[in-house]
Amino acid sequence: MVDVLVTNGPMLIGIAAVFGFLMAWGIGANDVANAMGTSVGSNAITIKQAIIIAMIFEFAGAYLAGGEVTSTIRKGIIDASYFVDSPELLVYGMIGSLLAAGIWLILASALGWPVSTTHSIIGAIVGFAAVGVSVDSVEWGKVVGIVGSWVVTPAISGFIAFMIFQSVQKLIFNTDDPLANAKRYVPFYMAFAGFVMSLVTITKGLKHVGLHFSTAEAYGLAAIVAVVIGIFGKIMIGRLNMSTDVNRQTEYANVEKVFAILMVVTACCMAFAHGSNDVANAIGPLAAVVSVVNSGGEIGSKAALAWWILPLGAVGIVMGLAIFGKRVMQTIGKNITHLTPSRGFAAELAAASTVVIASGTGLPISTTQTLVGAVLGVGMARGIAAINIGVVRNIVVSWVVTLPAGAALSILFFFTIKGVFS
């Protein structure tokens, strides 16, 4: 059957590239909108600014830190040994999975549901492997871990967001002089944000560029970045124009201005970390197809990237966000709970901290679920009435549906593609 790969190789790669682009587009429309939703929802930046920031930083993250080598099978969900005798099945499956996950993401984005791109592609891969190849080819333990992460991830980030927001309330908003306290404490929040964000970037992003740091070096570098950002923050806050009218409302508005500066910084970092991490969902299966076809049917555990794969993923992500990202931003930023820059900042910082904790402990997490959990945590800090339960219910339902939806679509496409080529 390997001759199928030889005769139809270029065509299979072409189809995979198109579907990989579609998947990247879906990631942009759905996931990047999550990363930017809190900044837009709290009015720290406009949608146009969010798209420009995301274009630059997502592209940089995906392109610089997306990796020269990518694991052919994401997260070790399926056992490659089942495909050794029939590598073309892996190729059909990966192509079908990309199309399935891409379609599901675009559908979810149209409905404004923030779903997990990682889980979409994993559901798709599990579906074709279990039905099309063998139930035993799926590492079910890993799948159970992913389902478990639906509860654990939002809980951790929600708790962190709750604590950060409570501290902001105590140190700044509930004091006699909120503005003076904002000027005093916000540089520390900025430094902490700088520390967490640079840690995410150093541990997740830079190792792909060939820069390897030991844990001590990573923390040291992050600490230096934190100090620089703290000092920069102090200078910037000193230069803000504050109205001197001393009523409470204006004071709060002034404090929020301070946090709005912070939101822009966190948004840039989130976009970079997200680009470096999630572009793999689109290009991993694509790289697998390219490597299997080019090696004449050999399945390695890692695939070297062809030069055109990363830019394809990066451009797809940016276009998806620009053209289709508005609705998911609306859900995260406006519909779950009312966000102000200080609340949005607490949510985004909590989400980033959770990503650091998770990558340190190897938890399979989804950026989406981390962020939704964090926004909920901030909402909870203001009491349950501040949360729109209907929206949250829809979001949770869409998470649960993601795995089976991806699986069902990919089974359908797998058999269709198999029928066409064999």
Side-chain angles (χ1 to χ4, degrees), residues 53-418:
I53 289 178
M55 279 178 165
I56 298 167
F57 286 91
E58 287 279 341
F59 191 87
Y63 193 67
L64 295 176
E68 297 90 49
V69 176
T70 178
S71 352
T72 45
I73 298 165
R74 288 285 281 152
K75 317 271 189 214
I77 290 291
I78 53 178
D79 182 354
S81 61
Y82 282 84
F83 297 94
V84 173
D85 298 330
S86 48
E88 71 285 349
L89 293 184
L90 182 66
V91 171
Y92 302 156
M94 288 299 182
I95 293 175
S97 298
L98 282 172
L99 179 58
I103 287 178
W104 170 246
L105 285 175
I106 285 171
L107 180 71
S109 307
L111 294 166
W113 293 345
V115 296
S116 161
T117 50
T118 314
H119 296 172
S120 309
I121 192 74
I122 286 175
I125 291 175
V126 167
F128 94 81
V131 176
V133 185
S134 154
V135 177
D136 302 329
S137 67
V138 177
E139 303 278 352
W140 291 105
K142 294 264 172 80
V143 179
V144 172
I146 288 166
V147 173
S149 75
W150 292 350
V151 183
V152 178
T153 319
I156 296 174
S157 66
F159 174 71
I160 297 175
F162 183 86
M163 297 310 285
I164 293 174
F165 189 62
Q166 288 288 24
S167 75
V168 172
Q169 290 282 39
K170 281 207 167 46
L171 293 173
I172 297 173
F173 285 102
N174 301 342
T175 57
D176 295 334
D177 192 350
L179 190 56
N181 283 324
K183 288 182 170 173
R184 183 176 308 137
Y185 292 115
V186 169
F188 290 103
Y189 283 114
M190 284 186 150
F192 178 52
F195 179 73
V196 171
M197 293 292 181
S198 50
L199 207 55
V200 173
T201 309
I202 293 165
T203 49
K204 280 215 138 168
L206 297 181
K207 60 172 181 281
H208 299 310
V209 199
L211 294 173
H212 294 273
F213 295 106
S214 68
T215 314
E217 287 169 340
Y219 277 91
L221 274 173
I224 295 168
V225 172
V227 172
V228 172
I229 287 181
I231 294 168
F232 173 72
K234 197 155 180 58
I235 296 167
M236 288 305 287
I237 293 166
R239 295 174 58 177
L240 276 180
N241 290 325
M242 306 289 188
S243 48
T244 43
D245 179 23
V246 268
N247 79 24
R248 218 53 175 152
Q249 250 7 64
T250 333
E251 282 216 340
Y252 285 154
N254 285 340
V255 173
E256 292 294 358
K257 268 187 202 161
V258 178
F259 276 103
I261 294 183
L262 208 56
M263 284 293 287
V264 180
V265 180
T266 51
C268 296
C269 299
M270 276 301 266
F272 185 86
H274 179 266
S276 64
N277 193 38
D278 276 27
V279 71
N281 290 330
I283 65 175
L286 173 55
V289 171
V290 175
S291 98
V292 173
V293 170
N294 287 345
S295 65
E298 221 174 290
I299 298 171
S301 62
K302 297 267 184 198
L305 287 187
W307 64 269
W308 52 272
I309 294 183
L310 264 178
L312 178 101
V315 171
I317 284 182
V318 167
M319 285 180 66
L321 171 79
I323 295 168
F324 221 57
K326 221 166 168 172
R327 291 187 173 160
V328 179
M329 280 195 206
Q330 179 79 21
T331 302
I332 291 257
K334 302 255 197 238
N335 299 354
I336 297 178
T337 186
H338 175 66
L339 288 180
T340 58
S342 57
R343 292 171 199 158
F345 161 71
E348 214 155 85
L349 184 54
S353 309
T354 311
V355 172
V356 172
I357 294 168
S359 49
T361 52
L363 273 174
I365 63 155
S366 137
T367 11
T368 311
Q369 289 162 351
T370 324
L371 205 78
V372 170
V375 172
L376 281 175
V378 173
M380 292 293 276
R382 297 166 50 228
I384 197 92
I387 295 173
N388 184 336
I389 300 295
V391 173
V392 176
R393 190 190 54 231
N394 289 351
I395 291 175
V396 173
V397 169
S398 74
W399 288 354
V400 176
V401 175
T402 294
L403 278 177
L409 285 168
S410 96
I411 292 165
L412 179 74
F413 297 140
F414 172 69
F415 285 112
T416 310
I417 295 166
K418 190 178 165 185

